[in-house]
Amino acid sequence: MNSSVIRSIRLVNLSQTVTAMYPLVEPCIDTLAKQICEKQSLEGVTYPDENRYTSQLLLQAIDAALQKAAYPGD
């Protein structure tokens, strides 16, 4: 089994306040996560123009998390 496979992406401890103030966060993360898990990469991930800023912010956070999770030498 390959330990460098992206199996899922999810937000942890997302408060009701955040979801109320930023209602696009959950649908955006679901859309991005599905694409990233299928492609095993952030390359070529698409999102609707109306969700551009939320999606870009989430992609930056996902990229940072993947960098932290990367194994040295991979």
Side-chain angles (χ1 to χ4, degrees):
M1 178 164 50
N2 188 346
S3 61
S4 63
V5 172
I6 302 169
R7 295 184 185 172
S8 68
I9 298 171
R10 60 187 171 92
L11 296 172
V12 179
N13 297 329
L14 189 62
S15 71
Q16 288 182 348
T17 304
V18 172
T19 57
M21 292 179 64
Y22 305 100
L24 295 177
V25 170
E26 286 185 299
C28 284
I29 196 71
D30 292 342
T31 300
L32 297 174
K34 182 178 178 183
Q35 291 180 66
I36 294 167
C37 289
E38 286 174 0
K39 296 175 186 231
Q40 293 296 299
S41 172
L42 274 63
E43 297 290 322
V45 172
T46 61
Y47 43 83
D49 198 45
E50 63 268 12
N51 298 346
R52 176 180 35 181
Y53 298 114
T54 303
S55 296
Q56 288 173 347
L57 180 68
L58 289 169
L59 284 170
Q60 290 173 358
I62 293 166
D63 185 48
L66 289 173
Q67 294 300 319
K68 287 183 180 182
Y71 288 105
D74 275 359

